């Protein structure tokens, strides 16, 4: 009888102790989940900021597009306003004369982007579209190796 009482007491003690371990495991699991969510949000914020910076570097800062349609409409979504502005600037940049692009120096970030896209095996036409450079400028950058 002594052995059965000892086993019963040990079982009750182990059950009580197991309740404490479950609570800490849930807390750790919740902390890890919150941490992963915050890292995901920070990563998305950084990607969004990086995309905006890349768009600013790739677009010519001198072009100011003022379209009567865009002035009459009020767009409430700020993200939509940024996209519309970027599209208008890109459209204006493609209308610019090719001689004005040849006289301006090419930024080092764009040169490295062109070289990286070339390493990835993209065609000159695709690189030209992605970097907002003419095909001749892309050929020159690749031929010079970025110098």
């Amino acid at each position: 009888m002594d052995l059965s009482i000892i086993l019963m007491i040990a079982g009750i003690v182990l059950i009580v102790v197991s309740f404490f371990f479950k609570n800490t495991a849930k807390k750790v699991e919740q902390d890890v989940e919150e941490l992963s969510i915050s890292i995901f949000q920070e990563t998305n914020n950084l990607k969004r900021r990086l995309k905006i910076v890349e768009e600013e570097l790739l677009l010519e800062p001198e072009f100011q597009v003022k379209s009567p349609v865009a002035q009459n409409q009020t767009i409430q979504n700020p993200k939509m306003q940024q996209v519309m502005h970027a599209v208008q600037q890109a459209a204006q940049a493609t209308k610019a004369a090719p001689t004005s692009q040849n006289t301006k120096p090419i930024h080092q970030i764009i040169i490295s982007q062109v070289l990286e896209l070339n390493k990835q095996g993209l065609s000159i036409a695709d690189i030209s579209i992605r970097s907002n450079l003419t095909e001749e400028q892309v050929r020159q950058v690749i031929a010079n190796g970025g110098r």
Side-chain angles (χ1 to χ4, degrees):
M1 276 238 312
D2 289 332
L3 183 60
S4 64
I5 293 174
I6 293 173
L7 289 176
M8 191 179 302
I9 292 173
I12 292 172
V13 169
L14 288 176
I15 289 173
V16 170
V17 170
S18 71
F19 286 121
F20 293 113
F21 285 122
K22 286 183 182 178
N23 290 339
T24 59
K26 286 182 181 179
K27 173 132 177 59
V28 169
E29 184 178 316
Q30 186 179 16
D31 289 344
V32 169
E33 185 175 333
E34 289 175 4
L35 180 65
S36 82
I37 289 172
S38 67
I39 289 174
F40 180 74
Q41 289 173 343
E42 287 296 321
T43 304
N44 283 341
N45 287 338
L46 288 174
K47 285 180 183 180
R48 187 179 70 238
R49 289 179 187 168
L50 182 63
K51 184 177 180 181
I52 291 170
V53 169
E54 286 176 347
E55 288 173 356
E56 288 175 359
L57 288 175
L58 291 177
L59 298 176
E60 296 293 326
E62 301 165 353
F63 294 110
Q64 303 257 339
V65 179
K66 294 181 180 177
S67 110
V69 174
Q71 289 175 354
N72 292 337
Q73 296 176 347
T74 57
I75 301 173
Q76 295 177 351
N77 187 355
K79 184 78 172 171
M80 191 65 163
Q81 287 177 341
Q82 289 176 349
V83 171
M84 290 296 292
H85 184 66
V87 168
Q88 289 173 349
Q89 283 185 340
Q92 187 69 18
T94 57
K95 293 178 184 176
T99 56
S100 67
Q101 287 182 349
N102 290 337
T103 59
K104 294 181 183 178
I106 302 172
H107 198 277
Q108 185 63 34
I109 293 175
I110 296 176
I111 291 173
S112 62
Q113 178 189 20
V114 167
L115 294 174
E116 187 62 33
L117 291 173
N118 185 42
K119 285 180 187 175
Q120 293 176 5
L122 270 70
S123 68
I124 292 180
D126 289 338
I127 296 172
S128 172
I129 291 169
R130 290 182 183 212
S131 64
N132 289 341
L133 297 174
T134 64
E135 291 185 12
E136 182 59 34
Q137 287 174 319
V138 171
R139 286 188 191 95
Q140 288 176 354
V141 169
I142 293 172
N144 294 339
R147 287 179 238 136

